Amino acid sequence: EKFREGLTKTRDSFAGKVNDLVSRYRKVDEEFFEELEEILIGADVGVTTVMNLIDELKMEVKRRNIQDTEEVRSVISEKLVEIYQGDQEESNTALNIQTERLNVVLFVGVNGVGKTTTIGKLAHKLKGEGKSVLLAAGDTFRAGAIEQLEVWGERVGVDVIKQSEGSDPAAVMYDAVQAAKARKVDVLLCDTAGRLQNKVNLMKELEKVKRVIEKEIPGAPHEVLLVLDATTGQNAMTQAKQFSQTTDVSGIVLTKLDGTAKGGIVLAIRNELSIPVKLVGLGEKMDDLQQFDAEQYVYGLFY
Ligand code: GDP
């Protein structure tokens, strides 16, 4: 239900256009596929992915000897689900959070994508599952970032480990890990800086933060989640490529899906980057964060 609500814009635009196409064409011909291609590209599915999808659709239509456009619609959703699910590893969208250990989740991504909000929402979700959570204010660079995380901490009812603005993020992380160990919390969620002005410095900073965590807790961080803003389309793809080149990103959080008609970006990311989309943001409220599920997503779009 949450998926359906959050995807209203994409559904109205993308699925609406597909439905319109299906009703206008009786027969499945080359022109039909050309129009379908345009609709998919318009939904930010990504050119490479669209080409593959159209090829597969054509083969399937031939194989099953499908003539009727209505029937093609269900093949489209089947194929979309297949692509979304990817291989075994990618289809596992559950966070690597286990009992009986301190789990560390590191959040990376550029300013404004919804990192802080996602940390707040995830803290709320985990608390709801009975887990104890601590937040680390690792963005010591952006003015107001620490306060913003504290606001979420209060809202959700979890503590924030912080230092003053401008302090060394690696030192904040060290403190946070010690506090998490001493308090025996289940999950430590770590914010990081997202300034884009100096990418090399930012990447170095993230590496240092990661090293501190690794040194204090063998096997950690257990997740490195890259947060991307779905409304920025191909920009999000570029960011994903940049971050994944320098950091071992274990999963993607795609935010603001509710604010875009171009929800096809999920498909492009999955298909072109081989990094699973693990969580999606479907609104600004505490409850508007969902574990990604390919079938729910595709069927939420079409039905
Ligand atoms: P940060 O700079 O990456 O920490 O980004 P913030 O967490 O401050 O988020 C930037 C803005 O995006 C805020 O106004 C959030 O309320 C908004 N936002 C974050 N996630 C979502 C989402 O899933 N949907 C919508 N509609 N807005 C979101």
Side-chain angles (χ1 to χ4, degrees):
E1 208 37 47
K2 262 269 143 62
F3 264 104
R4 275 186 59 79
E5 263 175 52
L7 293 172
T8 306
K9 283 192 184 167
T10 300
R11 186 172 58 245
D12 288 353
S13 157
F14 171 65
K17 282 179 190 158
V18 173
N19 288 341
D20 172 61
L21 180 69
V22 165
S23 65
R24 276 189 294 113
Y25 282 81
R26 282 275 165 74
K27 272 174 60 185
V28 190
D29 55 16
E30 197 52 42
E31 260 179 79
F32 173 85
F33 281 118
E34 267 171 36
E35 273 201 48
L36 181 61
E37 198 174 298
E38 269 174 45
I39 294 171
L40 288 163
I41 289 173
D44 259 357
V45 173
V47 178
T48 327
T49 312
V50 172
M51 294 307 172
N52 291 341
L53 179 64
I54 297 282
D55 281 348
E56 285 197 25
L57 278 176
K58 282 182 179 168
M59 278 196 287
E60 196 69 12
V61 162
K62 209 169 170 189
R63 200 175 62 77
R64 293 200 216 166
N65 193 23
I66 295 170
Q67 320 256 318
D68 180 34
T69 51
E70 192 62 48
E71 233 177 297
V72 174
R73 203 169 66 129
S74 62
V75 185
I76 296 173
S77 12
E78 274 170 39
K79 284 284 160 205
L80 284 176
V81 172
E82 260 174 46
I83 295 183
Y84 274 108
Q85 282 175 339
D87 65 26
Q88 200 98 60
E89 208 174 310
E90 287 166 47
S91 64
N92 181 13
T93 62
L95 292 183
N96 178 18
I97 287 176
Q98 291 169 23
T99 48
E100 317 268 325
R101 78 168 184 206
L102 165 57
N103 296 275
V104 183
V105 182
L106 191 65
F107 287 83
V108 300
V110 309
N111 285 338
V113 291
K115 229 180 325 153
T116 316
T117 308
T118 302
I119 292 172
K121 287 174 181 172
L122 184 59
H124 173 66
K125 197 168 187 271
L126 292 168
K127 259 196 94 184
E129 292 166 10
K131 296 187 173 69
S132 55
V133 180
L134 193 63
L135 308 183
D139 185 355
T140 59
F141 188 83
R142 181 170 68 90
I146 300 169
E147 290 74 20
Q148 202 193 337
L149 195 67
E150 284 185 302
V151 168
W152 269 104
E154 268 174 40
R155 200 178 289 164
V156 176
V158 300
D159 286 344
V160 180
I161 302 299
K162 57 161 191 176
Q163 287 184 12
S164 54
E165 201 180 301
S167 59
D168 179 3
V172 176
M173 253 1 121
Y174 182 83
D175 278 0
V177 168
Q178 301 314 321
K181 279 182 181 171
R183 301 182 192 188
K184 296 192 163 46
V185 302
D186 298 315
V187 191
L188 174 65
L189 303 178
C190 310
D191 195 9
T192 62
R195 58 183 184 278
L196 255 194
Q197 296 87 330
N198 190 332
K199 273 182 218 139
V200 178
N201 272 347
L202 176 61
M203 297 304 163
K204 274 191 192 149
E205 179 176 315
L206 292 179
E207 264 318 298
K208 197 174 157 200
V209 160
K210 227 176 124 207
R211 271 206 309 276
V212 168
I213 297 171
E214 277 162 4
K215 192 156 169 272
E216 294 304 309
I217 308 166
H222 306 94
E223 290 278 359
V224 179
L225 298 179
L226 171 63
V227 185
L228 299 172
D229 177 344
T231 63
T232 63
Q234 290 307 309
N235 247 337
M237 281 297 287
T238 310
Q239 286 164 21
K241 282 176 190 157
Q242 283 172 346
F243 274 92
S244 58
Q245 270 163 16
T246 49
T247 318
D248 281 325
V249 175
S250 61
I252 284 167
V253 183
L254 200 58
T255 63
K256 311 185 198 180
L257 268 178
D258 55 304
T260 177
K262 301 189 166 196
I265 191 74
V266 189
L267 195 56
I269 288 173
R270 280 187 81 78
N271 204 36
E272 288 169 39
L273 292 174
S274 307
I275 303 171
V277 174
K278 294 200 168 180
L279 295 166
V280 290
L282 299 164
E284 292 186 279
K285 292 193 298 296
M286 217 164 1
D287 289 318
D288 296 332
L289 184 76
Q290 291 271 308
Q291 184 180 334
F292 182 71
D293 180 288
E295 273 182 43
Q296 274 183 33
Y297 184 78
V298 172
Y299 292 109
L301 276 187
F302 278 99
Y303 303 100

